[in-house]
Amino acid sequence: MRKKMFGQMEADLQKSCKPEDRMFALHPDEEHIVVSHALFLMMSKPLASKLPSLKGFYLLRKLEEEMLTAYLTESDEFTELLRYCNLLYEVFPYELAAAARDAAIASKVRKLQGIARIAVGYGGDMDATMVDDILDAMDFDRYNKVCCPLIDRMMPRLNKMAEREMMY
């Protein structure tokens, strides 16, 4: 069922969006894409419990966690999970645009939009050495969740970038 759903989502996306206009089109390689997803997962953590009505957000975070786990464990499922994460990230702005109309959560949604833009942009523009350092630093915490102390140390700067992005 999952494969069918994502296959249909990908077919719909190909009809409406040129490959060069996709979110990760300018990322130089797969590692940069993985880092973008890791940045989004870690940066959006404080908002995860505050936006339970955003099912796409919940699913994206869940699949990013699975994908990063597959990456770290060198699982055969990694490529497919990365594809799913990329597809969800492509349609995520549409869910956020619809959710932004709800005054009760509009400010949180704007913050999430800023986070999403910074994660994809910063992850794609990062130099290869930094990408390698982040991927090498990624591990599991004591609760078996993916963690990255290097991203944790970058959070104050990343959050400031996301706040500036919210203004636009």
Side-chain angles (χ1 to χ4, degrees), residues 60-79:
L60 176 59
R61 286 182 48 79
K62 182 180 181 313
L63 287 174
E64 284 176 333
E65 182 79 33
E66 288 180 29
M67 179 272 296
L68 292 170
T69 297
Y71 177 83
L72 290 172
T73 60
E74 299 179 6
S75 168
D76 293 339
E77 295 178 328
F78 165 72
T79 303

Side-chain angles (χ1 to χ4, degrees), residues 11 14 17-19 25 55 59 63 75 84 94 99 101 105 123 126 128 131 135 143 148 150-152 161 164 168:
Q14 287 175 349
C17 188
K18 293 182 246 171
K55 303 301 182 205
L59 182 59
L63 287 174
S75 168
Y84 294 164
Y94 300 105
R101 294 184 203 123
I105 61 170
M126 202 176 278
V131 168
L135 293 174
Y143 303 108
C148 182
L150 189 51
I151 292 176
D152 288 342
M161 292 167 68
R164 280 194 306 265
Y168 305 106

Side-chain angles (χ1 to χ4, degrees), residues 7-60:
Q8 183 61 49
M9 188 185 299
E10 188 168 40
D12 292 344
L13 191 60
Q14 287 175 349
K15 290 177 193 172
S16 64
C17 188
K18 293 182 246 171
E20 62 270 16
D21 294 336
R22 306 270 295 264
M23 292 277 189
F24 300 104
L26 298 177
H27 282 54
D29 54 35
E30 189 174 78
E31 285 77 19
H32 280 79
I33 297 170
V34 171
V35 167
S36 287
H37 283 293
L39 289 169
F40 179 78
L41 181 67
M42 311 249 173
M43 290 176 71
S44 66
K45 186 177 181 178
L47 293 172
S49 63
K50 296 176 182 174
L51 295 167
S53 62
L54 298 181
K55 303 301 182 205
F57 176 45
Y58 172 79
L59 182 59
L60 176 59

Side-chain angles (χ1 to χ4, degrees), residues 107 117 143:
S107 66
R117 285 191 297 269
Y143 303 108

